[in-house]
Amino acid sequence: MSNTSASAAPKGELTKGHKKVIFASSLGTVFEWYDFFLYGSLAAIIAKQFFSGVNETTGMIFALLAFAAGFFVRPFGAAFFGSLGDRIGRKYTFLVTILIMGISTFLVGVLPNYNTIGFAAPVILIILRLLQGLAMGGEYGGAATYVAEHAPPGKRGLYTSFIQSTATMGLFLSLLIILLGVSVWIRLQLSESPLFQQMKAEGKGSKTPFRDSLKDGNLKLMLLVLLGAAAGQAVVWYGGQFYSLFFLTSMLKVDATVANLLIAGALALGTPFFIFFGWLSDKIGRKKIIMAGCLLAAITYMPLFKGITHFANPAIEEARNNSPALVVADPTTCSFQFDPVGVRKFTNSCDIATAALTRAGVPYSVQAAPAGSLAQIKVGDNSVASYEAAGLSKEELKARADAFAPALKAALVDAGYPEKADTARINIPMTILLLWVLVIYVTMVYGPIAAYLVELFPTRIRYTSMSLPYHIGNGWFGGFLPAISFALVAGTGNIYYGLWYPIGVALMTVVIGILFLRETKDVDITQ
């Protein structure tokens, strides 16, 4: 493909060359979505397979932290590959990132579990997640910059929105190696972006783009973009898709296959709106759409997730209303059950009671009891005594557990708490509708964001400058959302308590974004 075939077409026309650029650049982001769905649906299994050496609650948090590990290093990938892209070109940089991403994702799929290779299993899993994160740190910025620099004026929102709309492909195109081969083959045929070629020809490129990105007012701008755009976009994106999937499977006990199909249905209906809001941002501006999406999410997350409970597993709502679960215990004996090194034992009767309810997916509250008293679980008219595990022999511990578990199960069943969501009682249209609303918020914040970030920074340091705040926002604010939210739920017994994290971050972004960031839709990105 020649340089002129994509850049010298009539203004606004989506040529064959443009389509090739968009398709090749967007294809790499499919890997992120593929990994997102795979890890989301298998989070509980991954916890058992790779983190079985610690207690169950810690194992689940570790599984989510392993997911987050890839997001933690994304800013470092953005710094390295962004600097590389600003120096040697967009094309070759994200060609390297797609190879690293594809190989790492494949190796995650064939990695032996903890029972097979012991402690090496979670270590290798985290290393591969780190490699994925480094690659994704360079992937998105390159794709967004490359497409935006090919797009004609007035069409950047529309063109870059195609990158954002690859969500459903990640679910359906799971033939990873074939996909990887197609993506690499197409990208090898691409030419460099016209703006980068022009910048190099005029000698205006930066020899130290990372250092230059931190100079003058650009560092301040990157910080404002992080807090006033990327952070809110990230929590709305991951809250509306990954956390909603996790909420369905782990909190509401919906069958994983059914939950994935519900999310897939919402995505299929919502995906065209990535393009719509990208197009709309060319007309009315990027900033107001992104801010509106963050604000709507912050205002409506609580009622929407309560509505999902009502329609996806009404039995939990009915049981909670009719027979709320109470842990009556000395509050000083109730721990936050997260053990990073896997050596702490949670043996207090309160810890045993709350861990059992968390595993069962039963919301609960703690009611204070006199100091030193044995914890009791009250469910409706039933009361089940917990037990102190400290100092017991293995035989005694097994005997206590064997008596406690069936007694609690019987009490929960009697109160109407389901072991799993009854698929026959799921109101599929209403559940998909509410999930679709969450996806619409995602399309509002995500559809225009690529064009918005590209337009904020000059060409010579654009790859680096837009990648850093985007990947810190998505990697640290968004990537850690599932682990933080689940930890909040596990610590309080309130299945909605974890929503306060994305709500708080989204509101922060609205305030900072409105006050300190400018609109960009009509800027000249050749400057």
Side-chain angles (χ1 to χ4, degrees), residues 4 20 182 199 291 361 459 467 526:
T4 57
K20 189 175 185 179
V182 171
M199 179 185 71
M291 296 301 115
T459 304
S467 293
T526 64

Side-chain angles (χ1 to χ4, degrees), residues 128-325:
L128 292 173
R129 287 292 301 163
L130 293 175
L131 287 173
Q132 288 177 319
L134 287 171
M136 186 51 66
E139 168 68 29
Y140 179 83
T145 302
Y146 190 67
V147 171
E149 291 179 346
H150 275 85
K155 294 288 184 180
R156 285 190 293 270
L158 174 64
Y159 279 31
T160 56
S161 67
F162 284 93
I163 301 171
Q164 322 295 67
S165 65
T166 53
T168 50
M169 290 178 65
L171 177 62
F172 299 118
L173 298 181
S174 58
L175 297 175
L176 190 60
I177 300 303
I178 295 175
L179 185 59
L180 172 63
V182 171
S183 181
V184 171
W185 177 75
I186 292 175
R187 290 183 179 197
L188 283 169
Q189 299 183 66
L190 297 179
S191 62
E192 190 50 78
S193 82
L195 286 183
F196 183 83
Q197 289 180 327
Q198 179 183 343
M199 179 185 71
K200 283 295 187 182
E202 295 173 354
K204 295 180 179 179
S206 172
K207 295 181 179 179
T208 56
F210 179 72
R211 186 183 304 170
D212 290 347
S213 293
L214 305 181
K215 289 181 179 179
D216 304 321
N218 202 69
L219 175 59
K220 179 181 177 181
L221 177 58
M222 286 197 298
L223 289 173
L224 289 174
V225 169
L226 167 62
L227 301 177
Q233 170 261 309
V235 297
V236 173
W237 182 29
Y238 286 96
Q241 294 184 105
F242 182 81
Y243 191 70
S244 61
L245 175 62
F246 180 77
F247 184 82
L248 284 169
T249 55
S250 296
M251 310 298 178
L252 303 185
K253 301 299 181 182
V254 175
D255 176 76
T257 300
V258 175
N260 273 292
L261 289 173
L262 291 170
I263 293 288
L267 278 173
L269 295 172
T271 293
F273 287 87
F274 285 106
I275 311 301
F276 171 75
F277 285 114
W279 167 84
L280 187 64
S281 76
D282 286 327
K283 308 299 180 184
I284 67 172
R286 332 282 190 207
K287 175 180 163 180
K288 61 185 66 174
I289 297 175
I290 296 170
M291 296 301 115
C294 288
L295 183 60
L296 285 171
I299 293 172
T300 63
Y301 260 18
M302 282 292 180
L304 283 172
F305 276 84
K306 288 180 180 179
I308 290 170
T309 301
H310 176 77
F311 292 114
N313 193 349
I316 284 183
E317 183 182 57
E318 294 162 0
R320 187 184 63 226
N321 291 336
N322 298 329
S323 305

